[in-house]
Amino acid sequence: MDFRLATDQDLDLLAQWNHRLIQDEGHRNPMSVAQLRDRMKGWLAGEYQAVLFSQGGEPVAYALYRESLTEIYLRQFYVRQSKRRSGAGRMAFELLRTKIWPLGKRLTVEVLTANKAAVSFWRSVGYEDYCLTLEILAN
């Protein structure tokens, strides 16, 4: 698996994948692909970095994260549906941990509790439960 930092040339792909990620995880975010593209552009111009992962020259996954002095917050991690359950996500995450992110920082990721597959994946690569946010939706 290969990887590289994403650039503005990747914004269309990142926005499309972000839209699919929102659908796949059952998130309530109503943003369109165009709105997600604009948001991603702002993030990449600011404090976030995105990494694209490819196999055989074909993009298969991306990670969007923010690094501080003590922590790396993984905001988005997406693996193309056709590459799920093939080890691609695990390989991409391993590259993040061993080749991209510095050692010695706390790693955090937020997962919707209803997204059982994601919860299982993140636990399988070493994340542990830390907090649970509860809500009452407005009537």
Side-chain angles (χ1 to χ4, degrees):
M1 180 171 284
D2 298 312
F3 66 89
R4 67 175 175 80
L5 289 179
T7 67
D8 281 354
Q9 282 84 23
D10 302 307
L11 286 171
D12 289 336
L13 176 63
L14 292 173
Q16 290 168 8
W17 280 2
N18 186 194
H19 194 257
R20 289 186 191 138
L21 174 63
I22 289 166
Q23 293 170 333
D24 290 350
E25 67 187 2
H27 200 285
R28 293 188 298 252
N29 184 333
M31 294 172 80
S32 68
V33 174
Q35 291 169 318
L36 293 170
R37 185 186 191 285
D38 290 343
R39 182 177 71 167
M40 184 71 71
K41 184 176 177 72
W43 280 342
L44 295 181
E47 59 187 314
Y48 283 90
Q49 292 187 339
V51 177
L52 278 173
F53 300 92
S54 60
Q55 290 179 316
E58 176 186 9
V60 297
Y62 84 93
L64 177 74
Y65 65 93
R66 176 184 71 215
E67 183 177 349
S68 69
L69 288 175
T70 60
E71 176 184 7
I72 296 173
Y73 168 59
L74 181 58
R75 183 174 188 115
Q76 297 174 1
F77 186 80
Y78 178 80
V79 177
R80 284 179 43 194
Q81 199 165 38
S82 65
K83 296 296 181 178
R84 294 179 192 164
R85 300 231 176 260
S86 71
R90 189 172 297 278
M91 283 188 284
F93 183 71
E94 186 63 23
L95 286 170
L96 285 169
R97 292 204 63 189
T98 62
K99 304 285 185 197
I100 300 167
W101 293 341
L103 296 175
K105 294 197 178 197
R106 178 176 180 242
L107 306 179
T108 58
V109 64
E110 294 175 357
V111 184
L112 295 176
T113 55
N115 190 348
K116 303 297 185 202
V119 170
S120 178
F121 173 78
W122 291 118
R123 287 177 178 155
S124 79
V125 296
Y127 283 88
E128 297 178 358
D129 296 1
Y130 173 67
C131 80
L132 175 66
T133 302
L134 303 173
E135 69 179 356
I136 296 175
L137 295 175
N139 294 337

